[in-house]
């Protein structure tokens, strides 16, 4: 039985990696989000040598995505190695997600195996961590850098380390995070607090000297690059502020002032619980307070304070320097918070299974209360661990209860980790079985087989595909082919030997996310606009017709 705990992180890592890979391939929707398209286009421009650092000369573009070089830079490498496709485009967020699990395993598999197992599950199987693996968003990539920065800050200041190298690495990792997404600044107050505490105690001077010196050199080089190419060293900050001004009608001080009080009081709590983060919050709260035995290297307070500081900034912080505008309550915006919160919760798991007592009762009851409050499908995430902890709490008072399932026993730690794994896996497994809502891959196959360079004419498509069809051709459109919206059917003029095709993606046209705002027609109505048609090919829910234009159509 003593072998259970040392092997727990290994088995947990294997489970997390397996489920992450399965989720990535079984739920991938292809090119689905706007960020996927823009970052992929910048990566292609890097490969083609057409990427330019200079801003738009007319000042029309307000795109902070172009400044996140460590998002699309690695994607350009994957395009070079594996070709331009959506799987290559999303390998980087997948690897970053797996990298987070690997870092947690490396940090605590020997020091704190129960903490390592709990943190890997809570972070790696959090539904929105998995959900962001197959989209080219910067969030999981930033999460990897954030965890790396915090880990280097923690380990690099330990006695016996080559502090100068660790300090320089800390500065480099933070620059990498800044080149991925700006919200790494949410860690800055914590950094300053740790540096101030070290200065007060007169320790770790070599680490901080190397970190501050390297960081200053990197920052000067970074600002100098912008000064050279844009004439504005603070161009990126000004671009973000310009974007905030452009979107001011939706912020909390101009267009949505009435919602500000709710946003900085109770809304974040309901958001965190509804997103499934209530489990981490409850377990992290359990880790607060003195322990019977000191935590090695004071790691537990480090992660608790980092999680608390970051959580506070999410609750009441601002995304703008010129006005007060709290961050949008979207699950993908929370990724810098997740690593320290998951580790703090991991220490909470260890405390519950080791100490037991009132913590078992309190944690179980609170999780059941959250489940009752939600009373939806997400409630299962809280109900199963809550019931398990209450069963252990009640059973431990009975003589007949197995000794192996009493607080402090290795089997209880393994069983609790197993319950967490099953609870967290339910939602991802459910979505793995759902049909595609985009049919991207079927659509790409039809275009590759029938509408390549030899095809000449016009392809009529929906209002979603019209914005990104060139991705299907590697951003290099065939000379004789043009794409038009369905609505343009009466204005299309075909030259001699040109054809007209209708591409009908029934998945796209019935996707709730698109039909609410973008698409206002059904597959049947589209077919009604083109009565003279001939089905050329079909792949799943995607159909390709050759149509005749110019005749009477019925709306």
């Amino acid at each position: 039985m003593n072998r259970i705990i040392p092997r727990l992180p290994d088995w947990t890592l294997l489970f997390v990696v397996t489920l992450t890979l399965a989720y990535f391939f079984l739920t991938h929707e292809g090119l689905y989000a706007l960020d996927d398209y823009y970052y992929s286009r910048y990566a292609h421009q890097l490969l083609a040598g057409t990427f330019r650092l200079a801003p738009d000369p007319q000042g029309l573009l307000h795109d902070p995505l172009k400044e996140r070089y460590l998002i699309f830079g690695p994607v350009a490498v994957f395009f070079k190695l594996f070709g331009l496709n959506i799987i290559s485009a999303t390998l980087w967020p997948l690897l970053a997600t797996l990298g987070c699990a690997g870092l947690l395993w490396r940090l605590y598999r020997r020091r704190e195996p129960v903490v390592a197992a709990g943190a890997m599950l809570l972070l790696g199987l959090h539904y929105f961590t998995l959900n962001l693996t197959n989209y080219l968003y910067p969030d999981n990539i930033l999460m990897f850098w954030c965890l790396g920065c915090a880990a280097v800050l923690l380990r690099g200041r330990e006695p016996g380390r080559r502090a100068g190298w660790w300090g320089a690495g800390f500065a480099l990792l933070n620059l990498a995070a800044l080149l991925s997404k700006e919200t790494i600044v949410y860690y800055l107050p914590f950094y300053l607090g740790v540096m101030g505490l070290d200065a007060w105690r007169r320790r770790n001077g070599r680490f901080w000297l190397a970190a501050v010196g390297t960081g200053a050199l990197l920052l000067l080089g970074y600002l100098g690059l912008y000064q050279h190419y844009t004439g504005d060293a603070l161009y990126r900050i000004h671009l973000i502020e310009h974007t905030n001004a452009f979107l001011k009608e939706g912020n909390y001080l101009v267009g949505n002032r009435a919602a500000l009080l709710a946003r900085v009081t109770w809304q974040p709590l309901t958001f965190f619980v509804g997103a499934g983060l209530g489990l981490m919050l409850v377990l992290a709260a359990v880790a607060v307070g003195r322990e019977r035995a000191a935590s090695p290297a004071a790691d537990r307070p480090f992660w608790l304070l980092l999680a608390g500081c970051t959580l506070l900034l999410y609750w009441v912080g601002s995304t703008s320097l010129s006005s007060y505008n709290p961050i949008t309550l979207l699950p993908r915006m929370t990724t810098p918070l997740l690593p320290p919160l998951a580790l703090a919760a991991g220490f909470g798991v260890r405390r519950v299974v080791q100490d037991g007592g009132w913590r078992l009762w309190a944690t179980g009851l609170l999780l059941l209360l959250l489940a009752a409050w939600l009373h939806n499908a997400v409630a299962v995430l809280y109900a199963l661990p809550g019931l398990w902890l209450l069963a252990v709490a009640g059973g431990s008072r009975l003589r007949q209860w197995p000794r192996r399932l009493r607080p402090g026993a290795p089997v209880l730690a393994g069983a609790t980790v197993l319950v967490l794994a099953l609870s967290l896996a339910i939602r991802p497994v459910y979505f793995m079985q759902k049909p595609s809502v985009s049919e991207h891959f079927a659509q790409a196959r039809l275009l590759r087989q029938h509408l390549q360079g030899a095809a000449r004419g016009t392809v009529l498509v929906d209002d979603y595909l019209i914005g990104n069809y060139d991705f299907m051709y590697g951003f290099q459109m065939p000379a004789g082919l043009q794409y038009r919206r369905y609505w343009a059917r009466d204005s299309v003029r075909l030259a001699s030997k040109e054809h007209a095709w209708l591409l009908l993606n029934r998945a796209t046209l019935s996707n709730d996310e698109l039909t609410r705002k973008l698409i206002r027609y059904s597959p049947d109505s589209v077919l009604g606009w083109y009565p003279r048609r001939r089905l050329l090919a079909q792949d799943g829910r995607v159909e390709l017709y050759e149509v005749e234009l110019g005749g009477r159509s019925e709306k």
Side-chain angles (χ1 to χ4, degrees):
M1 293 303 172
N2 292 333
R3 300 176 61 183
I4 291 178
I5 298 299
R7 297 299 303 273
L8 201 57
D10 301 334
W11 289 111
T12 303
L13 178 66
L14 179 62
F15 180 69
V16 169
V17 169
T18 301
L19 192 64
T20 301
L21 291 172
Y23 185 91
F24 177 82
F25 288 106
L26 294 177
T27 67
H28 209 303
E29 292 292 350
L31 184 70
Y32 187 75
L34 193 61
D35 286 28
D36 294 342
Y37 176 76
Y38 279 111
Y39 287 128
S40 296
R41 188 174 66 182
Y42 294 142
H44 173 260
Q45 289 174 358
L46 282 177
L47 285 179
T50 58
F51 183 82
R52 296 292 179 266
L53 287 176
D56 177 56
Q58 297 180 341
L60 298 177
L61 299 180
H62 311 283
D63 185 12
L65 307 187
K66 191 176 181 181
E67 315 308 316
R68 297 171 178 174
Y69 308 118
L70 280 188
I71 302 299
F72 55 85
V75 173
V77 176
F78 290 127
F79 282 168
K80 182 69 174 179
L81 293 175
F82 307 117
L84 201 160
N85 56 72
I86 194 59
I87 297 298
S88 300
T90 48
L91 278 179
W92 181 210
L94 171 65
L95 292 176
T97 307
L98 296 174
C100 288
L103 279 176
L104 293 173
W105 177 83
R106 182 68 179 85
L107 275 171
Y108 287 110
R109 67 185 177 95
R110 291 180 179 173
R111 297 178 182 230
E112 292 280 5
V114 175
V115 173
M120 279 189 285
L121 289 173
L122 291 165
L123 180 65
L125 300 191
H126 172 53
Y127 172 71
F128 291 103
T129 296
L130 290 171
N131 180 254
L132 289 168
T133 57
N134 47 27
Y135 299 103
L136 187 49
Y137 280 115
D139 304 284
N140 280 17
I141 299 167
L142 174 67
M143 183 170 68
F144 174 71
W145 298 127
C146 286
L147 178 56
C149 291
V152 169
L153 178 62
L154 177 65
R155 293 286 177 256
R157 294 163 44 254
E158 291 178 343
R161 303 282 186 181
R162 301 179 67 179
W165 289 106
W166 283 84
F170 176 67
L172 282 169
L173 284 172
N174 276 282
L175 178 66
L178 182 63
L179 295 179
S180 299
K181 195 175 181 181
E182 302 79 9
T183 43
I184 182 61
V185 298
Y186 278 26
Y187 277 22
L188 183 59
F190 181 76
Y191 293 163
L192 295 175
V194 174
M195 185 170 66
L197 183 62
D198 280 350
W200 176 262
R201 295 177 175 177
R202 296 185 178 181
R203 64 185 187 185
N204 298 315
R206 186 176 297 177
F207 175 91
W208 287 111
L209 183 63
V212 173
T214 304
L217 290 175
L218 292 172
L219 188 60
L220 285 173
Y222 181 61
L223 297 178
L225 189 70
Y226 274 112
Q227 181 66 39
H228 174 73
Y229 282 102
T230 70
D232 180 7
L234 301 178
Y235 170 75
R236 188 174 181 186
I237 295 176
H238 295 153
L239 178 62
I240 295 170
E241 292 299 329
H242 197 176
T243 304
N244 281 329
F246 183 74
L247 300 173
K248 64 183 179 181
E249 291 302 322
N251 75 27
Y252 287 93
L253 293 184
V254 179
N256 199 20
R257 183 177 301 213
L260 179 60
L261 180 61
R263 169 59 187 83
V264 296
T265 52
W266 58 267
Q267 276 187 356
L269 178 61
T270 59
F271 160 71
F272 286 127
V273 174
L277 291 175
L279 183 59
M280 286 196 218
L281 290 172
V282 170
L283 290 170
V286 174
V288 176
R290 296 182 61 183
E291 287 190 314
R292 294 178 182 175
S295 181
D299 289 4
R300 182 179 56 89
F302 178 91
W303 297 113
L304 279 170
L305 288 171
L306 177 55
C309 181
T310 312
L311 179 63
L312 179 64
L313 287 173
Y314 270 89
W315 212 292
V316 298
S318 175
T319 62
S320 172
L321 297 175
S322 60
S323 63
Y324 181 61
N325 189 32
I327 196 168
T328 307
L329 292 177
L330 291 174
R332 70 183 187 90
M333 299 296 183
T334 64
T335 45
L337 170 64
L338 297 185
L341 186 60
L343 278 161
F347 281 98
V349 173
R350 189 199 65 175
R351 173 171 280 188
V352 164
V353 298
Q354 283 188 352
D355 296 350
W358 66 268
R359 291 185 178 85
L360 280 171
W361 289 104
T363 307
L365 286 172
L366 189 51
L367 290 176
L368 286 184
L369 286 174
L370 293 181
W373 181 29
L374 283 180
H375 58 271
N376 58 21
V378 181
V380 177
L381 175 65
Y382 302 112
L384 291 182
L387 289 171
W388 166 252
L389 294 177
L390 288 180
V392 173
S396 299
R397 296 191 169 191
L398 304 175
R399 292 183 178 180
Q400 300 90 336
W401 188 257
R403 294 182 61 184
R404 294 178 178 179
L405 292 180
R406 293 181 182 275
V411 174
L412 176 62
T416 302
V417 168
L418 180 61
V419 170
L420 283 176
L422 294 175
S423 304
L424 290 161
I426 290 174
R427 193 176 182 188
V429 170
Y430 167 75
F431 279 96
M432 287 183 206
Q433 301 172 356
K434 295 192 70 175
S436 172
V437 297
S438 70
E439 291 287 2
H440 167 91
F441 298 103
Q443 187 169 261
R445 284 191 296 268
L446 282 183
L447 295 181
R448 184 170 59 250
Q449 294 167 6
H450 299 278
L451 296 175
Q452 284 294 334
R456 299 184 62 84
T458 299
V459 186
L460 295 143
V461 297
D462 57 69
D463 288 273
Y464 174 72
L465 185 58
I466 196 65
N468 55 49
Y469 61 85
D470 54 342
F471 177 88
M472 308 289 185
Y473 296 91
F475 298 102
Q476 296 176 334
M477 287 298 298
L481 205 61
Q482 67 170 340
Y483 276 66
R484 301 287 300 275
R485 286 181 170 86
Y486 294 145
W487 305 107
R489 60 193 181 276
D490 294 330
S491 62
V492 172
R493 296 294 179 265
L494 299 175
S496 177
K497 297 184 179 180
E498 287 188 343
H499 300 270
W501 296 274
L502 170 68
L503 184 66
L504 188 73
N505 187 331
R506 293 181 180 271
T508 297
L509 269 57
S510 59
N511 185 338
D512 291 340
E513 291 186 7
L514 298 177
T515 54
R516 283 197 299 264
K517 295 181 179 180
L518 182 64
I519 293 175
R520 303 293 185 182
Y521 38 80
S522 67
D524 290 338
S525 63
V526 172
L527 292 176
W529 300 334
Y530 300 93
R532 294 187 292 177
R533 62 182 184 271
R534 178 172 64 90
L535 181 65
L536 288 181
Q538 182 174 357
D539 190 332
R541 301 174 68 191
V542 185
E543 301 159 9
L544 179 65
Y545 296 88
E546 184 172 5
V547 297
E548 295 183 25
L549 302 177
R552 182 174 65 87
S553 64
E554 298 176 5
K555 290 189 178 180

